[in-house]
PDB file of all heavy atoms in Angstrom:
ATOM      1  N   TRP A  14       8.326 -18.482 -31.265  1.00 38.00           N
ATOM      2  CA  TRP A  14       7.344 -17.653 -31.981  1.00 38.00           C
ATOM      3  C   TRP A  14       6.232 -18.609 -32.612  1.00 38.00           C
ATOM      4  O   TRP A  14       6.506 -19.645 -33.206  1.00 38.00           O
ATOM      5  CB  TRP A  14       8.156 -17.051 -33.172  1.00 38.00           C
ATOM      6  CG  TRP A  14       7.556 -15.706 -33.447  1.00 38.00           C
ATOM      7  CD1 TRP A  14       6.667 -15.416 -34.364  1.00 38.00           C
ATOM      8  CD2 TRP A  14       7.711 -14.498 -32.694  1.00 38.00           C
ATOM      9  NE1 TRP A  14       6.331 -14.012 -34.347  1.00 38.00           N
ATOM     10  CE2 TRP A  14       6.976 -13.477 -33.353  1.00 38.00           C
ATOM     11  CE3 TRP A  14       8.470 -14.209 -31.526  1.00 38.00           C
ATOM     12  CZ2 TRP A  14       6.985 -12.163 -32.762  1.00 38.00           C
ATOM     13  CZ3 TRP A  14       8.426 -12.940 -31.053  1.00 38.00           C
ATOM     14  CH2 TRP A  14       7.746 -11.941 -31.664  1.00 38.00           C
ATOM     15  N   GLN A  15       4.992 -18.229 -32.382  1.00 39.00           N
ATOM     16  CA  GLN A  15       3.881 -19.231 -32.623  1.00 39.00           C
ATOM     17  C   GLN A  15       3.506 -19.086 -34.072  1.00 39.00           C
ATOM     18  O   GLN A  15       3.420 -18.044 -34.727  1.00 39.00           O
ATOM     19  CB  GLN A  15       2.662 -18.824 -31.710  1.00 39.00           C
ATOM     20  CG  GLN A  15       2.968 -19.116 -30.274  1.00 39.00           C
ATOM     21  CD  GLN A  15       3.279 -20.555 -29.998  1.00 39.00           C
ATOM     22  OE1 GLN A  15       2.426 -21.395 -30.196  1.00 39.00           O
ATOM     23  NE2 GLN A  15       4.539 -20.820 -29.693  1.00 39.00           N
ATOM     24  N   SER A  19      -1.897 -19.280 -33.488  1.00 39.00           N
ATOM     25  CA  SER A  19      -1.983 -18.301 -32.316  1.00 39.00           C
ATOM     26  C   SER A  19      -2.087 -16.840 -32.913  1.00 39.00           C
ATOM     27  O   SER A  19      -1.236 -16.083 -32.692  1.00 39.00           O
ATOM     28  CB  SER A  19      -0.658 -18.434 -31.520  1.00 39.00           C
ATOM     29  OG  SER A  19      -0.652 -19.654 -30.854  1.00 39.00           O
ATOM     30  N   ARG A  20      -3.059 -16.670 -33.713  1.00 37.00           N
ATOM     31  CA  ARG A  20      -3.173 -15.376 -34.320  1.00 37.00           C
ATOM     32  C   ARG A  20      -3.595 -14.255 -33.360  1.00 37.00           C
ATOM     33  O   ARG A  20      -4.260 -14.423 -32.492  1.00 37.00           O
ATOM     34  CB  ARG A  20      -4.165 -15.492 -35.517  1.00 37.00           C
ATOM     35  CG  ARG A  20      -3.654 -16.367 -36.667  1.00 37.00           C
ATOM     36  CD  ARG A  20      -4.599 -16.626 -37.685  1.00 37.00           C
ATOM     37  NE  ARG A  20      -4.040 -17.453 -38.762  1.00 37.00           N
ATOM     38  CZ  ARG A  20      -4.685 -18.234 -39.527  1.00 37.00           C
ATOM     39  NH1 ARG A  20      -5.992 -18.334 -39.410  1.00 37.00           N
ATOM     40  NH2 ARG A  20      -4.129 -18.915 -40.472  1.00 37.00           N
ATOM     41  N   GLY A  24      -1.483  -9.281 -36.902  1.00 38.00           N
ATOM     42  CA  GLY A  24      -0.921  -9.959 -38.123  1.00 38.00           C
ATOM     43  C   GLY A  24      -1.837 -11.027 -38.456  1.00 38.00           C
ATOM     44  O   GLY A  24      -2.244 -11.952 -37.724  1.00 38.00           O
ATOM     45  N   ALA A  25      -2.236 -11.172 -39.753  1.00 38.00           N
ATOM     46  CA  ALA A  25      -3.183 -12.164 -40.132  1.00 38.00           C
ATOM     47  C   ALA A  25      -2.670 -13.623 -40.059  1.00 38.00           C
ATOM     48  O   ALA A  25      -3.307 -14.563 -39.917  1.00 38.00           O
ATOM     49  CB  ALA A  25      -3.632 -11.948 -41.658  1.00 38.00           C
ATOM     50  N   ASP A  26      -1.299 -13.774 -40.227  1.00 42.00           N
ATOM     51  CA  ASP A  26      -0.569 -15.008 -40.226  1.00 42.00           C
ATOM     52  C   ASP A  26       0.010 -15.353 -38.891  1.00 42.00           C
ATOM     53  O   ASP A  26       0.796 -16.299 -38.736  1.00 42.00           O
ATOM     54  CB  ASP A  26       0.310 -15.198 -41.357  1.00 42.00           C
ATOM     55  CG  ASP A  26       1.516 -14.162 -41.219  1.00 42.00           C
ATOM     56  OD1 ASP A  26       1.453 -13.331 -40.263  1.00 42.00           O
ATOM     57  OD2 ASP A  26       2.430 -14.354 -42.008  1.00 42.00           O
ATOM     58  N   GLY A  27      -0.150 -14.487 -37.798  1.00 43.00           N
ATOM     59  CA  GLY A  27       0.219 -14.836 -36.477  1.00 43.00           C
ATOM     60  C   GLY A  27       1.754 -14.430 -36.278  1.00 43.00           C
ATOM     61  O   GLY A  27       2.344 -14.792 -35.255  1.00 43.00           O
ATOM     62  N   ARG A  28       2.363 -13.868 -37.305  1.00 44.00           N
ATOM     63  CA  ARG A  28       3.798 -13.423 -37.150  1.00 44.00           C
ATOM     64  C   ARG A  28       3.781 -11.929 -36.935  1.00 44.00           C
ATOM     65  O   ARG A  28       2.883 -11.188 -37.079  1.00 44.00           O
ATOM     66  CB  ARG A  28       4.532 -13.800 -38.350  1.00 44.00           C
ATOM     67  CG  ARG A  28       4.640 -15.345 -38.439  1.00 44.00           C
ATOM     68  CD  ARG A  28       5.296 -15.745 -39.818  1.00 44.00           C
ATOM     69  NE  ARG A  28       4.441 -15.312 -40.951  1.00 44.00           N
ATOM     70  CZ  ARG A  28       4.698 -15.724 -42.145  1.00 44.00           C
ATOM     71  NH1 ARG A  28       5.676 -16.406 -42.441  1.00 44.00           N
ATOM     72  NH2 ARG A  28       3.841 -15.256 -43.097  1.00 44.00           N
ATOM     73  N   TYR A  92       1.780  -6.974 -28.623  1.00 90.00           N
ATOM     74  CA  TYR A  92       1.678  -8.081 -29.483  1.00 90.00           C
ATOM     75  C   TYR A  92       1.663  -9.449 -28.732  1.00 90.00           C
ATOM     76  O   TYR A  92       2.572  -9.715 -27.907  1.00 90.00           O
ATOM     77  CB  TYR A  92       3.017  -8.151 -30.401  1.00 90.00           C
ATOM     78  CG  TYR A  92       2.921  -9.265 -31.446  1.00 90.00           C
ATOM     79  CD1 TYR A  92       2.187  -9.196 -32.615  1.00 90.00           C
ATOM     80  CD2 TYR A  92       3.573 -10.445 -31.165  1.00 90.00           C
ATOM     81  CE1 TYR A  92       2.137 -10.216 -33.464  1.00 90.00           C
ATOM     82  CE2 TYR A  92       3.515 -11.475 -32.068  1.00 90.00           C
ATOM     83  CZ  TYR A  92       2.834 -11.390 -33.145  1.00 90.00           C
ATOM     84  OH  TYR A  92       2.794 -12.402 -33.998  1.00 90.00           O
TER      85      TYR A  92
END
Side-chain angles (χ1 to χ4, degrees):
W14 214 259
Q15 294 299 293
S19 296
R20 291 175 179 154
D26 61 355
R28 293 172 295 188
Y92 180 82

